Amino acid sequence: MTTSSSPVWQYRTRKQTLLRWLGWFWLVALTVFCWQLMNENTIWAFVSDAPAQAADIGSRMFPPAWSYVGELWQPLWDTINIATLGTLLGIMIAVPVAFLAASNTTPSVRFVRPLALLIIVASRSINALIWALLLVAIIGPGLLAGIIAIGLRSIGFVAKLLYEAIEEIDVTQVEAVRATGASGAQVIDYAIVPQILPAFWGISVFRWDINIRESTILGLVGAGGLGIQLNASLATLAWNQVATIFLLILGTVVVSEWVSARVRQAVL
């Protein structure tokens, strides 16, 4: 192996050098454009006053209104139910979608697989808060809208990771089961499911952990949970209540993270 002390740029062709400079030019141009756009839509007087406003609101948040915690247990329970039931709903739809999307289990690579992938992309492209806005307008405010919103958001996440796990299975086990004369359903049951089961549990628990965080804000648009109490406290400028809600959300997320980590450690 030979080495050289010549600079790296000497090994580039003229075309590569030109493309490199063009790339830097467009990057600088994009940065300038974004800066101008930000300046047009920013009131810098508010920005300069932001530290003082933040300090004022922060001073109003402490001490938190601990007496307000008693009114938050039911909304917290609603939030956990939204996340749990929404995750279960998403999983029930995501599992068949994943099998239809995986190239080694789909019944039709040309027609069925693209449709399944479209469902996955559509679910992952729309935030749970947007789903909740649409569902509140369609079926009205309440927990049902939040559950369905979380479920629709979870489909794409679970199905994408699951179909990738299906495509990475050991093919020899599938061929061995198929060689016994097993049907398609038996091949899935005895050769594919045992291989993806640890990944499935890990994905499901991880998504539940994410949904705990997302469900806390769905109440801002009327989909139930702690978000309703947070919206009410913000509307009345009750900053010490807002601090209490923030701390409760933080504690809930920490606990869900711990539970998620322990479950994933047990199944993986």
Side-chain angles (χ1 to χ4, degrees):
M1 184 176 65
T2 61
T3 59
S4 175
S5 59
S6 301
V8 176
W9 61 265
Q10 291 185 2
Y11 294 98
R12 298 195 185 103
T13 64
R14 295 190 57 171
K15 182 178 180 181
Q16 290 174 330
T17 303
L18 178 61
L19 290 175
R20 181 182 177 86
W21 281 109
L22 282 175
W24 279 109
F25 171 78
W26 286 113
L27 179 61
V28 172
L30 179 62
T31 303
V32 173
F33 172 76
C34 292
W35 177 258
Q36 291 178 344
L37 186 64
M38 184 183 70
N39 281 335
E40 292 177 359
N41 297 280
T42 301
I43 302 176
W44 290 105
F46 289 169
V47 175
S48 62
D49 190 47
Q53 294 296 329
D56 179 54
I57 292 176
S59 65
R60 298 184 189 184
M61 282 186 170
F62 292 97
W66 298 115
S67 60
Y68 186 60
V69 173
E71 301 181 29
L72 299 178
W73 295 124
Q74 183 60 46
L76 175 61
W77 179 245
D78 292 341
T79 295
I80 296 174
N81 283 330
I82 290 173
T84 304
L85 296 177
T87 303
L88 292 175
L89 175 63
I91 290 172
M92 287 190 295
I93 301 175
V95 170
V97 171
F99 277 94
L100 295 176
S103 57
N104 54 342
T105 57
T106 183
S108 173
V109 177
R110 180 174 296 181
F111 299 106
V112 178
R113 187 169 189 264
L115 181 60
L117 292 175
L118 177 62
I119 294 174
I120 293 173
V121 172
S123 171
R124 296 178 67 239
S125 300
I126 303 177
N127 190 272
L129 197 60
I130 299 177
W131 281 120
L133 277 170
L134 294 173
L135 289 165
V136 166
I138 295 172
I139 63 178
L143 299 183
L144 181 60
I147 292 170
I148 298 177
I150 291 293
L152 292 176
R153 175 64 171 170
S154 301
I155 293 172
F157 180 92
V158 176
K160 177 177 173 56
L161 296 181
L162 191 59
Y163 95 73
E164 290 177 351
I166 294 172
E167 292 183 337
E168 295 173 358
I169 61 173
D170 185 3
V171 182
T172 58
Q173 296 186 34
V174 178
E175 293 175 348
V177 174
R178 188 176 287 120
T180 64
S183 63
Q186 290 173 326
V187 169
I188 293 176
D189 192 19
Y190 293 101
I192 298 178
V193 170
Q195 294 190 64
I196 66 171
L197 205 54
F200 167 77
W201 287 115
I203 294 167
S204 300
V205 174
F206 185 39
R207 185 64 220 183
W208 174 79
D209 180 30
I210 295 173
N211 287 340
I212 287 287
R213 307 173 195 189
E214 292 196 350
S215 61
T216 57
I217 62 171
L218 295 186
L220 293 175
V221 295
L226 280 173
I228 292 180
Q229 302 298 121
L230 178 60
N231 192 33
S233 297
L234 287 171
T236 57
L237 303 180
W239 298 111
N240 54 351
Q241 294 181 5
V242 172
T244 305
I245 296 172
F246 281 174
L247 292 173
L248 185 60
I249 291 174
L250 176 62
T252 303
V253 170
V254 170
V255 172
S256 68
E257 180 71 25
W258 179 81
V259 172
S260 174
R262 294 300 297 268
V263 172
R264 291 201 303 270
Q265 184 180 7
V267 300
L268 295 179

